[in-house]
């Protein structure tokens, strides 16, 4: 049974697996969407000088969606940069070039959602053979996806 939405937006979907039906409820976003979201950390293959500095040019700005102000995306290669002597990618998300208003994650080795001003840093194993991921972050729901490309 497909779920059909009448318009683009946020919805709460309640599924009853016994009766095989569902209900939809519109959800209006609360708060103000951040102007920008950026990655800070290390293990970004194309950013060999990036190692927990928190100022441009050593942060990776995500792309803000043109329709949904809470949605941010970015394709990034995770891997050991040339000359680096570590084998894990560690990062958080931040809204600015300072150490305030940031997101860490519910789980450092398999993050599913971000925790505003809390959580743990990622600790993901990487190799010299970089892999490209599309990162998707929704600042309204705090859901995070890393989709291998």
């Amino acid at each position: 049974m497909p779920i059909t939405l009448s318009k683009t937006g946020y919805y709460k979907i309640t599924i009853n697996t016994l009766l095989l039906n569902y209900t939809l409820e519109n959800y209006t976003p609360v708060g103000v969407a951040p102007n920008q979201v950026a990655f800070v950390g290390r293990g970004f293959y194309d950013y060999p000088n990036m190692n927990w500095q928190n100022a441009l040019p050593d942060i990776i700005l995500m792309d803000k969606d043109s329709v949904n102000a809470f949605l941010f995306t970015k394709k990034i290669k995770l891997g050991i940069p040339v000359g680096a002597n570590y084998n894990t990618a560690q990062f958080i998300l931040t809204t600015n070039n300072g150490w305030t208003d940031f997101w860490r994650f519910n789980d450092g080795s398999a993050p599913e959602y971000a925790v505003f001003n809390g959580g743990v840093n990622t600790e993901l194993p990487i190799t010299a053979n970089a892999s490209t991921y599309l990162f998707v972050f929704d600042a309204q729901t705090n859901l995070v996806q890393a989709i291998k490309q």
Side-chain angles (χ1 to χ4, degrees):
M1 171 189 311
I3 296 176
T4 305
L5 304 175
S6 61
K7 62 181 182 173
T8 302
Y10 288 93
Y11 290 87
K12 177 182 177 184
I13 302 172
T14 304
I15 299 173
N16 185 322
T17 57
L18 293 176
L19 299 177
L20 300 178
N21 62 18
Y22 64 89
T23 59
L24 297 174
E25 183 180 335
N26 286 330
Y27 171 79
T28 302
V30 295
V32 177
N35 291 327
Q36 67 182 18
V37 174
F39 285 93
V40 176
R42 71 176 197 195
F44 302 106
Y45 189 79
D46 292 330
Y47 298 83
N49 296 326
M50 190 173 170
N51 193 2
W52 287 104
Q53 304 92 326
N54 196 9
L56 287 169
D58 293 315
I59 62 174
I60 304 171
L61 292 175
M62 297 185 79
D63 302 317
K64 190 171 191 172
D65 189 80
S66 62
V67 176
N68 181 346
F70 290 93
L71 190 62
F72 296 84
T73 60
K74 190 69 172 184
K75 278 190 181 179
I76 299 175
K77 286 183 186 176
L78 294 182
I80 301 171
V82 175
N85 60 359
Y86 51 81
N87 61 3
T88 59
Q90 301 173 342
F91 56 85
I92 66 171
L93 301 172
T94 183
T95 62
N96 60 21
N97 294 338
W99 291 108
T100 60
D101 293 338
F102 60 86
W103 292 266
R104 289 189 178 114
F105 303 95
N106 66 307
D107 183 320
S109 61
E112 293 177 357
Y113 62 89
V115 179
F116 187 68
N117 287 338
V120 296
N121 296 350
T122 59
E123 185 82 27
L124 305 174
I126 55 174
T127 68
N129 297 321
S131 297
T132 301
Y133 292 87
L134 172 63
F135 284 89
V136 180
F137 173 57
D138 187 320
Q140 179 64 206
T141 63
N142 288 327
L143 293 178
V144 178
Q145 291 179 298
I147 304 162
K148 193 168 186 178
Q149 301 296 285

